[in-house]
C-alpha cells in the first residue's frame, strides 16, 4: 500500500530546486512539498519569497510533515536538523555524504529507536542507484570488491589531463563549468570520495569505519610526466574509492589508479561516475551515470521519496555477516612513485622493485609497497611527488611480514 508523503524540504539550491522540478513532473507519486526552509533572506529564487521559511521549526513542529528532505550544504547544521527530525518521529532523506560518513552509526541508531526511515541514495555517485542495489540486489551474493569513480570533479580533471592540459588549467576549467568549488580541497584531495567510500563499505560489507581511519590521497600533485607515463603504457588515471574483502578482512582506501584498457571503467570520462561491483556469483558489473548536477542528483532523492511511500528502510543486511570482519592495513599494493627529486622516492621502502627510471628532469620507480607505510603519510601535502596504484590485485601479507617492514623502516628513517 502506498503512503502519502508530506515533505518538509530544507535547502533550495542545486539539488533542492532539482527535486522541486522533478517532483512536479512525477505524476505517479503521491508526495507534496508542504514547506521549504532556506538560510538567506532576499535571495533571488525560482519561487516567490513567501513560499520560503527561514525557521527550521516550521518543518519540525508541523505534525502533517512526515518526511524531512535535507538538502543543505552545511554538514554541521544538517546534523542538528536530522537529529531533531528523528526525535520528532519524521523520516529523513539526505544527500549529504559528509554528514552521513561522520555520524553514520549514530544516525542509524536514532532512526531505529524512533522507528523512522533514513535514506540517502543521492549521497553516493548522484544518479547511480548503488546503495539500494548493494542492500537488496546483492543481498545474497558474497561481495568481494566495490570500486568507484565517485567524484566527478576529479574525473573531469584527470580526463582533461589526458588531452594534454596541465592540472591547474583543468581545475580552473572545471571550476568555470561549475563542477569544482572555489576551494576544491574536498574533491581534489579525495575527502569527498572517502566519505562515499565509507558509505559503500557499510552497505557492501556491513562494517562502519571512521573517516580518520580511511586513507585518502587525491590528484593535486599530478605532473605532466606522470600523465606521459600513463599514455606510454596505455593507461588512464582514475581516482578510485576502493574496498575489497578477503576472508575476514576488509581493505579500503582512496587513491589515484592507473588502469588498463581492459578495466570496465576505462572509458568513464569527464564528470561521469561509475561503480564496479565484484561478487562471487554475479562476477563483475559496471554502473555508470552522472554523479552530480541538479536533475541527476534529484532523481536519486526522488527514488528515495518513492521508496519511502512503500515504507522502505535500509535493513543493513550485511551487518550480521560483517560481525567477524575487521578493517585492515595488512596488504601490499603495486605503486608508481614519480618525482623530479629522487630523494622523495628513496624515502619509501619497496618490498619489490620492478622498474626504475632516472633522468635529469624526472624520475619514477614502480614496485610493491606495504600499505601501512603509505597510510601514515600525508601525500596530499607532498607537492614534489605523485603516487598512483598500478593495475595489479592487492597482495595479502602476514603480520610477520609487517614486522619485517617496520624493522626496515626503523633502520632507514
Ligand atoms: N550539487 C550536486 O550535484 C550534489 C550531488 C550529490 C550530493 N549533493 C549534496 O546535496 C546537498 C545539497 O547540495 P547543493 O549543491 O544543492 O547545495 P547548494 O546549491 O549550495 O544549496 C544549499 C542550500 O542549502 C541552504 N542552506 C544552507 N545552510 C542552511 C541552513 N542552516 N538552514 C537552511 N538552509 C540552509 C541554502 O540556503 P540559501 O539558498 O538561502 O543560501 C541553499 O538553498 C549537499 O549535501 C551536497 O553534498 C550535491
Amino acid at each position: 500500500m502506498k503512503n502519502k508523503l508530506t515533505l518538509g524540504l530544507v535547502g533550495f539550491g542545486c539539488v533542492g530546486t532539482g527535486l522541486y522540478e522533478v517532483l512536479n513532473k512525477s505524476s505517479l507519486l503521491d508526495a507534496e512539498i508542504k514547506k521549504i526552509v532556506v538560510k538567506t533572506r532576499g535571495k533571488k529564487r525560482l519561487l516567490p519569497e513567501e513560499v520560503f521559511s527561514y525557521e527550521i521549526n516550521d518543518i519540525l513542529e508541523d505534525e502533517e510533515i512526515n518526511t524531512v528532505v535535507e538538502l543543505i550544504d552545511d554538514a554541521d547544521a544538517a546534523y542538528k536538523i536530522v537529529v531533531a527530525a528523528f526525535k520528532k518521529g519524521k523520516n529523513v532523506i539526505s544527500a549529504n555524504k559528509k554528514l552521513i560518513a561522520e555520524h553514520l552509526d549514530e544516525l542509524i541508531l536514532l532512526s531505529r529507536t524512533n522507528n523512522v526511515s533514513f535514506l540517502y541514495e543521492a549521497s553516493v555517485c548522484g544518479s547511480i542507484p548503488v546503495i539500494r542495489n548493494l542492500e537488496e540486489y546483492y543481498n545474497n551474493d558474497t561481495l568481494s570488491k566495490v570500486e568507484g569513480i565517485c567524484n566527478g570533479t576529479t574525473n573531469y580533471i584527470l580526463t582533461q589531463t589526458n588531452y594534454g592540459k596541465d592540472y591547474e588549467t583543468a581545475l580552473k576549467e572545471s571550476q568555470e563549468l561549475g563542477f569544482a568549488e572555489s576551494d576544491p580541497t574536498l574533491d581534489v584531495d579525495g575527502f569527498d570520495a572517502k566519505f562515499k567510500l565509507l558509505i559503500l563499505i557499510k552497505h557492501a560489507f556491513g562494517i562502519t569505519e571512521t573517516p580518520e581511519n580511511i586513507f585518502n590521497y587525491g590528484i593535486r600533485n599530478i605532473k605532466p610526466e606522470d600523465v606521459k607515463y600513463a599514455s606510454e603504457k596505455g593507461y588512464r588515471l582514475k581516482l578510485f574509492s576502493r574496498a575489497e574483502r578477503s576472508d575476514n578482512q576488509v581493505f579500503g582506501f582512496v587513491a589515484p589508479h592507473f588502469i588498463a584498457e581492459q578495466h570496465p571503467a576505462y572509458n568513464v570520462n569527464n564528470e561521469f561516475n561509475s561503480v564496479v561491483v565484484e561478487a562471487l556469483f554475479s562476477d563483475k558489473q559496471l554502473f555508470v551515470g552522472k554523479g552530480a548536477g541538479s536533475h541527476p542528483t534529484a532523481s536519486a532523492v526522488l527514488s528515495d521519496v518513492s521508496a519511502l511511500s512503500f515504507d522502505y528502510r535500509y535493513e543493513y543486511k550485511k551487518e550480521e555477516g560483517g560481525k567477524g570482519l575487521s578493517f585492515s592495513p595488512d596488504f601490499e599494493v603495486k605503486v608508481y612513485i614519480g618525482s623530479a627529486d629522487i630523494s622523495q622516492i628513496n624515502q619509501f621502502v619497496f618490498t619489490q622493485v620492478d622498474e626504475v627510471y632516472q633522468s635529469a628532469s624526472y624520475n619514477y620507480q614502480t614496485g610493491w609497497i606495504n600499505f601501512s607505510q603509505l597510510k601514515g603519510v600525508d601525500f596530499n601535502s607532498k607537492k614534489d611527488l605523485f603516487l598512483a596504484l598500478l593495475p595489479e590485485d592487492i597482495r595479502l601479507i602476514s603480520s610477520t611480514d609487517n614486522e619485517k617492514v617496520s624493522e626496515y623502516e626503523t633502520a632507514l628513517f
Side-chain angles (χ1 to χ4, degrees):
M1 228 305 262
K2 258 182 155 183
N3 302 317
K4 177 173 167 49
L5 294 176
T6 306
L7 311 177
L9 175 59
V10 197
F12 202 67
C14 175
V15 187
T17 312
L19 178 67
Y20 174 82
E21 288 170 341
V22 298
L23 205 54
N24 275 345
K25 290 189 177 134
S26 308
S27 54
L28 293 176
L29 205 55
D30 194 5
E32 62 145 347
I33 298 174
K34 186 171 178 200
K35 281 181 186 148
I36 307 176
V37 168
V38 286
K39 190 176 169 188
T40 321
R41 287 173 197 275
K43 200 166 167 179
K44 197 168 178 302
R45 300 184 196 272
L46 184 73
L47 299 173
E49 174 81 16
E50 54 274 21
V51 172
F52 297 96
S53 159
Y54 301 89
E55 178 46 64
I56 190 65
N57 282 332
D58 286 346
I59 286 179
L60 296 175
E61 300 298 335
D62 187 329
E63 290 189 1
E64 225 192 328
I65 292 177
N66 51 19
T67 302
V68 173
V69 185
E70 177 283 301
L71 297 174
I72 73 174
D73 55 344
D74 173 342
D76 295 333
Y79 171 73
K80 291 185 187 136
I81 293 166
V82 170
V83 169
F86 286 147
K87 289 186 174 165
K88 288 282 180 188
K90 297 180 193 304
N91 303 305
V92 172
I93 295 171
S94 173
N96 201 322
K97 52 263 171 180
K98 185 167 189 284
L99 158 81
I100 299 162
E102 285 173 347
H103 301 280
L104 186 53
D105 278 353
E106 181 195 347
L107 296 178
I108 293 170
L109 184 66
L110 265 177
S111 66
R112 281 174 174 163
T113 49
N114 289 286
N115 195 24
V116 288
S117 183
F118 178 37
L119 302 180
Y120 40 82
E121 186 64 67
S123 66
V124 181
C125 295
S127 70
I128 301 178
V130 62
I131 298 177
R132 218 165 321 137
N133 269 313
L134 289 174
E135 274 289 300
E136 307 299 336
Y137 183 84
Y138 295 100
N139 181 20
N140 292 307
D141 197 351
T142 307
L143 292 167
S144 52
K145 185 170 176 180
V146 178
E147 185 177 70
I149 298 175
C150 297
N151 182 275
T153 304
T154 45
N155 204 37
Y156 179 85
I157 295 170
L158 289 174
T159 305
Q160 293 304 313
T161 61
N162 281 335
Y163 302 144
K165 289 179 193 159
D166 63 23
Y167 169 79
E168 293 299 338
T169 309
L171 170 64
K172 195 163 169 284
E173 203 173 277
S174 78
Q175 285 167 325
E176 283 160 8
L177 288 165
F179 299 144
E181 305 281 333
S182 50
D183 175 1
T185 307
L186 286 182
D187 288 335
V188 300
D189 287 350
F191 287 95
D192 175 82
K194 168 164 82 170
F195 298 144
K196 294 164 177 169
L197 177 64
L198 190 153
I199 300 169
L200 287 173
I201 288 174
K202 180 73 175 177
H203 290 273
F205 302 115
I207 61 171
T208 312
E209 258 316 310
T210 56
E212 298 70 38
N213 204 28
I214 300 181
F215 174 84
N216 62 291
Y217 172 49
I219 62 162
R220 74 159 73 224
N221 301 324
I222 189 171
K223 308 282 183 307
E225 289 85 349
D226 308 314
V227 178
K228 186 167 165 245
Y229 172 86
S231 105
E232 279 171 6
K233 304 277 179 186
Y235 296 153
R236 282 185 184 161
L237 264 166
K238 302 287 167 198
L239 184 69
F240 278 151
S241 303
R242 175 170 169 187
E244 295 189 32
R245 176 182 174 171
S246 175
D247 294 328
N248 58 356
Q249 292 184 301
V250 173
F251 315 103
F253 53 91
V254 173
H257 285 60
F258 290 112
I259 57 170
E261 206 175 347
Q262 302 81 341
H263 193 289
Y266 189 79
N267 289 314
V268 178
N269 288 323
N270 289 316
E271 74 274 26
F272 278 83
N273 282 195
S274 70
V275 183
V276 176
V277 177
E278 287 184 40
L280 189 60
F281 305 120
S282 51
D283 207 342
K284 227 176 250 191
Q285 287 168 311
L286 170 73
F287 298 77
V288 184
K290 290 198 169 165
S294 183
H295 284 183
T297 311
S299 76
V301 179
L302 183 78
S303 173
D304 281 349
V305 174
S306 172
L308 249 186
S309 72
F310 293 99
D311 274 335
Y312 180 75
R313 290 179 190 187
Y314 299 139
E315 290 174 49
Y316 300 94
K317 292 172 180 156
K318 312 279 180 0
E319 270 180 346
E320 193 51 40
K323 277 186 183 143
L325 296 182
S326 62
F327 198 67
S328 167
D330 293 338
F331 60 97
E332 283 188 351
V333 281
K334 185 169 181 187
V335 296
Y336 156 103
I337 302 181
S339 177
D341 172 4
I342 189 105
S343 70
Q344 293 283 334
I345 300 172
N346 288 341
Q347 61 182 311
F348 294 96
V349 182
F350 282 70
T351 51
Q352 179 187 319
V353 175
D354 286 344
E355 195 184 349
V356 176
Y357 170 84
Q358 292 181 359
S359 75
S361 57
Y362 209 70
N363 315 284
Y364 68 77
Q365 187 162 313
T366 71
W368 291 86
I369 210 161
N370 187 308
F371 180 75
S372 8
Q373 190 189 163
L374 303 182
K375 202 172 174 268
V377 181
D378 176 12
F379 280 95
N380 287 314
S381 67
K382 289 194 167 286
K383 282 201 206 85
D384 300 333
L385 171 161
F386 181 70
L387 174 142
L389 270 73
L390 284 155
E392 293 276 354
D393 288 341
I394 62 174
R395 279 202 315 214
L396 300 186
I397 48 172
S398 67
S399 44
T400 337
D401 293 336
N402 251 342
E403 278 158 26
K404 270 192 221 140
V405 171
S406 37
E407 275 168 32
Y408 295 143
E409 278 170 27
T410 323
L412 262 168
F413 290 106

